[in-house]
Amino acid sequence: MDTLEAVLTEFWGDYTLLLIAGVVVMALAVRLWAPQERKRVRLSAFFTLLHIVLTPAVGALRAAHSGFAHDVRLLSLTAAVIASVGVVTVLVFGVILPRMGLNVVSIVRDLLAAGITVVALLSIAHQEGFALSGLLTTSAVATAIVVFSLQEPLANIMGGIFLQADSSIQVGDWVKIGEINGKVTEMRWRYTAIETRNWETIIVPNGYLMKNEFLVLGRRQGQPVQWRRWVWFNVDYRHSPSEIIALVNEALKTIDNPAVAKDPVPHAVCMDIGSGIANVAPNTGAVSYCRYGARYWLLDLARDDPTDSFVRERIFSALTRAGIDLSLPAETLFVTKETRHRKEAKKERTLSRHVEVLSGINLFDDLTEEEKQKLAVDLRYSPFAAGEVMTRQGNQAHWLYILTGGEASVTVTSNGIEQEVARLHAGDFFGEMSLMTGEPRSATVEAVTDVQCYRLGGAHFKSIIAARPAIAHYVAGILAERQVGLDAARDELDEESRRAKLDQHKVDIVAKIRDFFGLDAA
Ligand code: CMP
């Protein structure tokens, strides 16, 4: 009878039944609302069971007046404390708070649970007359061992606290740590768990994160989370970068994919031109493409490869539609010996192309074939990309330009106001005004589209004028008209004053040219 009474007293006295009820409630709540907490339920159930087993043992030992009763009771109470704290934290942090929309990070929850457990255990130990101070001070060596062995766990715990306190890393962030690239799914008191896109989970000790640098992907102050991606492609350098960029930009602009940010707008850039001579014997091989990068901002960081692939498809189809093939990963190997004969033939071809260009503009109509041949030697192919300034108002003149393709805009700035005075196309020339009068450039000429263009050295042009005054007269006519165009832009002239100015300009300009070139009056 004594033993049974002692056992029952133990049960009632230590709220064992309350603990059992708590475990049952917790198990039901977890089953219903928080299945992810199941592991913790099992842990609390284990300690409850330990307590249940030890409790009657304490009663029995007490009834038998055994000296062990006190120690076993302490053990049983410890199990009860751990189980109770487990029940409370699972109910509060695992069920109630998440249902109220509050998610407390697990490190805070674990530390809180550990703190409460330690305090409860200390107070029980004190109540039960267990001398903790003696335990702590009895062995300096034991203390040293404990401190030493706690160094690493403490560094991890402190690391976890600091990392969360300064928000340098948070659950949900995408990070790159060395070769590891993945999403932070959990921050525990000892480690941070990172799930990779390959369905791996990497456990990184918090102490490591404290000591080493890591990248938080897609994060920028004051900006939404989006990560800049590069999609590379190569196109033969016979296609101008501005043509390819315009084409690809147009295709990228129309992308409507939830994983691709609208702002900044996806776009292409040219990152390398023919990357120089290949790594083979000098002057034998060359890479024959320009390297481009299409850049877009990825919103769903989990979908990097599929979205890259989507962007690649768009680039590929845009280029294919325009009849442009992606470059083969080939290198040109020059097997033909650069003989004198070959060089001559090449020069001949260039020269006849230049003569063709000169024959295409009225300016040189008066020249004989021989004179054109002479002039052709000095002609240089000088293309401009859309948006490039070909010559700027006020600059010193060095060249005469002849357009063979594309469109250019002539603008003049007067009193801070810029005005377009003309558009130039294939067959037009410009830059003659300054060369013939010695004055600075009268206007700015800018490429509207990609412009195919040749230029002729100023000295050579002047020598032709000096030799062929008829050209000077022809140019003077065009020049006077252009001058009137410039004046009209500046002074807003009506038709009558335009005509009057034109006649006056013709006289002035011819005189100026004569003066500049030292020509006799015709
Ligand atoms: P230059 O002054 O050397 O440099 C700017 C060039 O723009 C100029 O020569 C002309 O060739 C050209 N230009 C200036 N005004 C006009 C115009 N009204 N129409 C066409 N071309 C012009």
Side-chain angles (χ1 to χ4, degrees), residues 245-262:
I245 287 172
L247 198 86
V248 173
N249 280 355
E250 202 50 45
L252 294 178
K253 230 165 51 189
T254 61
I255 283 184
D256 193 14
N257 182 319
V260 179
K262 294 260 181 268

Side-chain angles (χ1 to χ4, degrees), residues 295-368:
R295 300 161 350 151
Y296 75 92
W297 279 257
L298 180 66
L299 291 173
D300 181 356
L301 272 64
R303 297 184 53 76
D304 58 346
D305 290 340
T307 318
D308 283 0
S309 167
F310 175 89
V311 171
R312 237 170 250 129
E313 281 167 32
R314 288 300 176 92
I315 294 170
F316 186 84
S317 54
L319 292 174
T320 311
R321 273 198 303 278
I324 296 166
D325 295 327
L326 290 170
S327 96
L328 294 170
E331 284 162 6
T332 314
L333 200 62
F334 295 106
V335 285
T336 322
K337 219 167 161 216
E338 198 64 6
T339 57
R340 202 164 65 85
H341 178 70
R342 230 182 92 79
K343 274 189 190 156
E344 287 294 322
K346 227 155 104 180
K347 210 165 140 193
E348 269 312 302
R349 275 202 303 274
T350 313
L351 221 58
S352 67
R353 167 75 191 130
H354 288 181
V355 171
E356 217 175 281
V357 169
L358 292 173
S359 307
I361 55 168
N362 301 338
L363 175 66
F364 298 119
D365 274 357
D366 267 3
L367 295 185
T368 63

Side-chain angles (χ1 to χ4, degrees), residues 391 397 410 421-422 424 429-435 440-443 445 481-482 485-486:
T391 192
V410 185
V421 289
L424 306 174
F429 60 90
F430 70 88
E432 78 296 344
M433 282 187 169
S434 318
L435 290 178
R441 294 291 194 199
S442 60
V445 183
E481 270 170 37
R482 288 183 168 180
L486 290 175

Side-chain angles (χ1 to χ4, degrees), residues 42 55 141 166 188 296 317 356 365 378 380 399 404 511:
R42 260 180 252 141
T55 304
V141 177
D166 66 8
R188 304 297 297 265
Y296 75 92
S317 54
E356 217 175 281
D365 274 357
D378 195 33
R380 290 274 169 281
W399 309 95
T404 52

Side-chain angles (χ1 to χ4, degrees), residues 391-401 409-412 420-424 428-437 439-445 478-487 489 498:
T391 192
R392 199 177 288 281
Q393 185 176 348
N395 280 4
Q396 274 299 315
H398 302 288
W399 309 95
L400 174 85
Y401 294 86
S409 154
V410 185
T411 54
V412 61
E420 182 174 81
V421 289
R423 290 250 166 163
L424 306 174
D428 288 334
F429 60 90
F430 70 88
E432 78 296 344
M433 282 187 169
S434 318
L435 290 178
M436 298 191 71
T437 58
E439 285 169 9
R441 294 291 194 199
S442 60
T444 295
V445 183
I478 294 177
L479 228 148
E481 270 170 37
R482 288 183 168 180
Q483 189 60 56
V484 173
L486 290 175
D487 291 349
R498 273 180 87 108

Side-chain angles (χ1 to χ4, degrees), residues 155-170:
N156 287 329
I157 293 171
M158 295 316 285
I161 294 171
F162 285 133
L163 286 169
Q164 295 208 10
D166 66 8
S167 296
S168 48
I169 190 169
Q170 287 164 355

